[in-house]
């Protein structure tokens, strides 16, 4: 799960309480809200790329597909943007539990 990602843990700590409580507005990360995350993804990837990625993720990813997806992300997004997206994804997942 993203909550155990080393980059996310380094930013927030490993506690789910920490993840829920983090205020991205108080960080230096470039993406602060879910809306900004959606906008950034929409600007960086085509609809077809997004649909293909979602389809693959829903079906389960092989290690090779995980590496391909990560490579695509790192080609188009900075490390800080990726970390912000991870945090937003974890927060959304925790709120929807």
């Amino acid at each position: 799960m993203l909550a155990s990602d080393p980059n996310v843990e380094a930013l927030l700590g490993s506690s789910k309480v920490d993840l829920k409580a983090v205020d991205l507005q108080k960080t230096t990360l470039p993406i602060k809200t879910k809306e900004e995350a959606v906008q950034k993804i929409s600007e960086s990837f085509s609809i077809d790329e997004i649909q293909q990625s979602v389809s693959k993720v829903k079906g389960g990813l092989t290690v090779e597909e995980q590496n391909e997806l990560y490579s695509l992300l790192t080609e188009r997004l900075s490390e800080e943007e990726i970390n912000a997206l991870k945090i937003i994804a974890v927060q959304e997942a925790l709120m929807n539990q």
Side-chain angles (χ1 to χ4, degrees):
M1 179 178 176
L2 284 174
S4 60
D5 182 287
N7 291 324
V8 174
E9 284 184 355
L11 288 167
L12 305 174
S14 58
S15 167
K16 285 186 179 183
V17 174
D18 293 341
L19 292 172
K20 283 184 180 180
V22 71
D23 182 357
L24 287 172
Q25 299 298 330
K26 295 179 180 177
T27 70
T28 60
L29 294 171
I31 300 170
K32 310 274 187 201
T33 66
K34 182 170 108 175
E35 292 75 22
E36 289 177 3
V38 170
Q39 181 178 353
K40 182 63 181 175
I41 293 295
S42 298
E43 292 171 352
S44 301
F45 302 92
S46 71
I47 295 294
D48 189 49
E49 289 172 321
I50 294 168
Q51 289 173 335
Q52 287 178 2
S53 296
V54 168
S55 179
K56 285 180 182 178
V57 169
K58 283 184 178 179
L61 295 172
T62 65
V63 172
E64 183 180 334
E65 290 171 326
Q66 288 175 14
N67 290 335
E68 288 172 8
L69 184 57
Y70 186 74
S71 179
L72 181 63
L73 288 171
T74 57
E75 285 174 13
R76 305 213 189 146
L77 302 171
S78 70
E79 183 177 342
E80 293 80 18
E81 289 167 333
I82 292 170
N83 286 337
L85 293 173
K86 288 176 184 178
I87 294 165
I88 291 168
V90 169
Q91 287 179 333
E92 286 296 312
L94 291 173
M95 286 192 304
N96 294 321
Q97 282 185 342

